[in-house]
Amino acid sequence: MKYISTRGGCPPQNFEQVLLSGLAPDGGLFIPQTLPTFSAEQIEAMKSLQYADLALEIVTSFVDGEIPTSQLKKVIDESYVAFKHPEVAPLTRLSEHEYLLELYHGPTLAFKDFALQVLGRLLDHVLRKNDQRVVILGATSGDTGSAALEGCRHSERVEMYILHPYQRVSAVQRKQMTTVPGDNVFNLAIEGNFDDCQRIVKAAFANQAFLPSNKSLVAVNSINWVRILMQIVYYFYAALKLGAPNKKVSFSVPTGNFGDIYAGYLARRMGLPIDRLIVATNKNDILHRFISRNEYSTTELSKTFSPSMDILVSSNFERYLYDLLGKDSPALCKFMDRFGKETLSVSAEQWAQMKSCFDSSSVDDATTCQLISELFTKNSILVDPHTAVGVKSGRDCSENTTSPIVTLATAHPAKFSDAISAAGLKEPNLPEHLGDLFDREERYSVLPNSLSSVTEFIQKHS
Ligand SMILES: *Cc1c(COP(=O)(O)O)cnc(C)c1O
């Protein structure tokens, strides 16, 4: 299988090349040239598989023999053994038509572990094979950072620089990143917001001349294709439990950078019977405005109780836009070029096409807290604020589907205790393996909001 860039300006790449990069050299994002599809019979046959075996089955069709299956199996098995729940991604029933898919049983308590545990091990495998070293550079709104550090820190062949917006991540999120030991780990707190961090990272990828000549940058952000790939698996896992291929399922996905829900969109195109995909957003509602009103424009960033979704521009949305605009790279380039300067819209047919798959909602902080409190009182379930936004959005859009709605429970509530207190509930304890988190020593550097401050820091330490 080959991978191409959304912007159409680079030759097709293989899996390993895509794994070892980030943005495509032309500034676009990598997508598979053709998507494997599964028939109803093939999906039926997946029903009996354990999580890791299902992951192997799905991932194999994208790796295309570049990594021997035995090696791939080892990487995947080791990745999911580290999860604290035997089912890896257990499904909990909330009401007759509502379910939660618990994606927070990994080492850093958010769904990002599903991909980054695998990504770290795959990288290590490939770097050893090639006798190569890389610099991992990433921006995080909170959860990617710790999951990336946890997934990659054991590799001697990587150095990691993780940018987070100074004072805009939760205390637990910060501690989870800044207490990771190792000389190859650097946390950089940028005096700006997440979009500023993301912009710096993109600019560094676009011009890597600041690096020593034997090193290159690898992305761990959700622009990395392997992140998306590993997230496809749990859509299959949940849908199979709820009766696929014979029954349809809808998903409500707390959305920031559009990586998680894009994986659901791919699963749908691969043949999984997904009815609606609900884009759940907080007050940062650019995607909700686009889907519901055909208006695509940026606004001011709002700081909310669900910080991992405090994003102005969802970078993975470009992957979906590529399809929406008819796989027309020049049209996409033009669209991206105009974006930010004016309010954009798509044609009536394209808008209808988007609405044939996606619904959306925007949930404010007060409603998020109300829902956390209600689910605790009525269902005895404590959800984190991102998940609460997902459940509420599912309810807001429930008229459009007769299928059960599965909300992706993207993080453990203990990661976001501010919202839990604001909902009037007692702050949950961290799971046992993180019980001493607040006693661990922190290491991070605060840097001005500029590309040069980051590249100079890397030059000094690399
Ligand atoms: C990263 C994250 C999201 C957003 O996921 P995207 O793939 O960026 O859309 C939602 N909830 C939590 C808890 C996250 O960590």
Side-chain angles (χ1 to χ4, degrees):
M1 170 170 309
K2 292 286 187 222
Y3 294 84
I4 53 171
S5 164
T6 49
R7 308 265 173 124
C10 96
Q13 309 272 304
N14 62 22
F15 182 78
E16 189 175 299
Q17 288 169 313
V18 168
L19 168 72
L20 288 177
S21 55
L23 275 186
D26 63 356
L29 300 179
F30 286 117
I31 44 171
Q33 198 163 30
T34 53
L35 205 57
T37 54
F38 294 101
S39 67
E41 293 74 46
Q42 286 172 313
I43 293 173
E44 181 73 35
M46 294 173 177
K47 266 191 168 156
S48 56
L49 298 178
Q50 302 280 311
Y51 192 89
D53 296 330
L54 178 65
L56 182 65
E57 171 88 17
I58 290 168
V59 169
T60 301
S61 50
F62 287 91
V63 175
D64 206 15
E66 281 182 54
I67 296 172
T69 305
S70 59
Q71 192 63 43
L72 200 55
K73 178 170 167 48
K74 185 161 169 268
V75 161
I76 291 176
D77 284 349
E78 283 174 8
S79 297
Y80 296 117
V81 160
F83 281 57
K84 299 286 179 214
H85 195 287
E87 283 193 60
V88 183
L91 194 63
T92 316
R93 201 174 126 127
L94 269 186
S95 70
E96 204 186 332
H97 285 292
E98 293 179 297
Y99 293 82
L100 288 179
L101 185 64
E102 296 179 10
L103 300 177
Y104 51 75
H105 296 286
T108 72
L109 313 180
F111 79 87
K112 287 167 172 105
D113 289 322
F114 277 82
L116 283 160
Q117 283 293 312
V118 175
L119 178 60
R121 288 177 171 86
L122 277 182
L123 265 182
D124 193 48
H125 165 76
V126 170
L127 296 176
R128 273 169 201 274
K129 180 175 74 79
N130 300 351
D131 189 23
Q132 194 180 349
R133 293 179 177 276
V134 293
V135 174
I136 289 178
L137 177 63
T140 182
S141 55
D143 297 323
T144 293
S146 54
L149 294 166
E150 198 54 53
C152 305
R153 72 190 170 105
H154 298 296
S155 175
E156 291 160 7
R157 293 173 175 273
V158 305
E159 276 160 52
M160 271 187 285
Y161 298 86
I162 302 292
L163 280 55
H164 71 262
Y166 183 49
Q167 292 178 337
R168 283 171 182 260
V169 299
S170 82
V172 172
Q173 286 180 314
R174 192 191 71 239
K175 288 268 179 181
Q176 278 186 303
M177 293 189 277
T178 58
T179 61
V180 171
D183 316 336
N184 60 341
V185 168
F186 302 93
N187 280 286
L188 308 180
I190 302 296
E191 291 171 322
N193 60 36
F194 171 66
D195 290 273
D196 295 323
C197 296
Q198 194 152 262
R199 210 172 310 124
I200 291 173
V201 167
K202 275 199 170 181
F205 270 87
N207 183 356
Q208 304 188 15
F210 66 94
L211 284 177
S213 60
N214 62 338
K215 287 185 183 163
S216 60
L217 292 180
V218 169
V220 288
N221 283 77
S222 55
I223 55 169
N224 188 305
W225 164 252
V226 177
R227 296 260 322 256
I228 307 285
L229 172 57
M230 296 317 301
Q231 290 165 193
I232 294 173
V233 178
Y234 45 71
Y235 286 91
F236 275 82
Y237 190 71
L240 283 161
K241 285 210 167 164
L242 292 174
N246 304 318
K247 289 198 179 129
K248 283 193 173 188
V249 185
S250 292
F251 287 92
S252 178
V253 186
T255 294
N257 248 332
F258 204 77
D260 213 4
I261 194 160
Y262 179 70
Y265 164 78
L266 292 182
R268 192 177 189 263
R269 284 185 45 211
M270 288 163 69
L272 192 68
I274 293 177
D275 185 19
R276 311 294 302 167
L277 284 166
I278 299 161
V279 177
T281 66
N282 59 26
K283 211 164 169 254
N284 299 294
D285 63 349
I286 176 170
L287 293 174
H288 173 53
R289 283 181 287 118
F290 189 29
I291 294 166
S292 61
R293 302 211 295 264
N294 196 8
E295 285 172 19
Y296 193 48
S297 64
T298 53
T299 48
E300 291 286 291
L301 188 75
S302 302
K303 195 172 163 174
T304 74
F305 277 136
S306 39
S308 302
M309 294 152 64
D310 289 350
I311 291 176
L312 283 183
V313 183
S314 308
S315 44
N316 283 292
F317 197 59
E318 174 167 342
R319 288 184 156 118
Y320 173 68
L321 276 174
Y322 172 80
D323 280 357
L324 186 66
L325 301 180
K327 303 190 196 297
D328 179 347
S329 291
L332 176 76
C333 292
K334 217 180 280 166
F335 191 91
M336 297 305 290
D337 211 41
R338 283 165 58 212
F339 176 61
K341 299 173 191 147
E342 55 190 304
T343 298
L344 299 177
S345 54
V346 290
S347 72
E349 288 109 78
Q350 288 163 339
W351 189 31
Q353 186 189 327
M354 179 157 66
K355 300 232 290 186
S356 71
C357 174
F358 292 103
D359 285 312
S360 65
S361 188
S362 161
V363 180
D364 65 21
D365 273 352
T367 313
T368 303
C369 290
Q370 254 168 31
L371 203 84
I372 292 174
S373 156
E374 183 192 321
L375 290 176
F376 187 74
T377 317
K378 285 202 188 144
N379 303 71
S380 309
I381 289 178
L382 186 62
V383 298
D384 98 287
H386 305 79
T387 306
V389 168
V391 173
K392 180 65 171 68
S393 299
R395 290 181 181 178
D396 292 347
C397 302
S398 62
E399 284 157 24
N400 293 348
T401 181
T402 52
S403 307
I405 299 177
V406 177
T407 293
L408 303 193
T410 48
H412 190 288
K415 266 192 126 155
F416 301 98
S417 50
D418 286 2
I420 308 295
S421 323
L425 302 174
K426 187 173 154 287
E427 290 186 12
N429 290 330
L430 284 164
E432 204 173 328
H433 73 281
L434 291 171
D436 66 343
L437 185 65
F438 279 81
D439 305 327
R440 297 181 197 168
E441 190 202 338
E442 283 191 84
R443 289 182 309 148
Y444 65 99
S445 309
V446 181
L447 294 186
N449 178 8
S450 75
L451 173 63
S452 59
S453 66
V454 172
T455 54
E456 279 159 25
F457 186 96
I458 297 176
Q459 275 173 333
K460 213 184 288 171
H461 294 87
S462 138

